[in-house]
Amino acid sequence: MRRTILVLATAAGVAAAAGCAGSPQRLDGQASPAGAATPAPPSATTAVPVVSPSVTPSSASPKPSKTSRSPTTPVLGPTGFGKLRIGMSIKAAAATGEVDATGTGCGSAPLKSANDADVTVIYSDKGLLYIPAYGRIATPEGIRIGSTYEQVDRAYSDFFLRAVDAEGGFNGSGTAFAGEKDGHDGVHYRFAFKDNRVAELALEHDDQNCYE
């Protein structure tokens, strides 16, 4: 029994081999030696999109921001200071918001823009009589507190000094017309000198009636 089965199995295997040899199979592709590695199929090339980086032109510059202008420093003269005018009524002077002028007769009130209680205007029933300078406030001719006597003398041809001390240094008070040369508009500058320099400066009514 065992021998018969082995013979039959052997015969069947020979027949199968013969059948394969008689009908060779066709294989597509490129032949390669036995035992060689099978080459991998070429991979498809994937196109990578090129992304251009965003470029900011170097020449571009931000728009300049608007710079707020500094308010112009008021000028003392020739007939007033800011909204104040020599000779204006007490009521009109108070309406400007620059002073708190009230009452009748002679009076004084701090000039608010100076932020100094000692810097005061003087008024009477004739109106505003006296407006002082302070800090770096100057006349249209550039005269301010600290200017020299020589500078004042050059700036005003009608300048008049009332007192000079014995040593030749200019001290005392002086005046110069501030308005139009013909009528002077009833206003003049009043100076006080100390050691040759302006120590006080103001606009003054020609007909002030409250002080010497």
Side-chain angles (χ1 to χ4, degrees), residues 76-77 86 120 129-134 139 145 174-176 178 187-192 198-205 211:
L76 185 70
I86 292 294
T120 60
L129 304 178
Y130 179 95
I131 305 174
Y134 60 89
T139 71
I145 294 173
T175 58
V187 184
H188 60 265
Y189 288 116
R190 182 182 181 98
F191 305 92
V198 176
E200 295 178 20
L201 168 62
L203 271 179
E204 187 175 58
H205 197 297
Y211 54 93

Side-chain angles (χ1 to χ4, degrees), residues 20-118:
C20 291
S23 300
Q25 293 182 351
R26 181 179 180 85
L27 300 175
D28 293 333
Q30 190 174 6
S32 59
T38 303
S43 59
T45 302
T46 303
V48 179
V50 179
V51 180
S52 300
S54 59
V55 179
T56 302
S58 59
S59 59
S61 57
K63 293 182 180 180
S65 59
K66 294 182 179 180
T67 303
S68 58
R69 295 182 179 180
S70 300
T72 303
T73 301
V75 175
L76 185 70
T79 60
F81 176 73
K83 297 177 182 180
L84 298 175
R85 291 289 178 271
I86 292 294
M88 71 191 313
S89 69
I90 299 173
K91 183 177 180 179
T96 67
E98 295 293 332
V99 294
D100 292 326
T102 58
T104 58
C106 295
S108 64
L111 182 60
K112 292 182 178 180
S113 60
N115 293 318
D116 185 344
D118 292 332

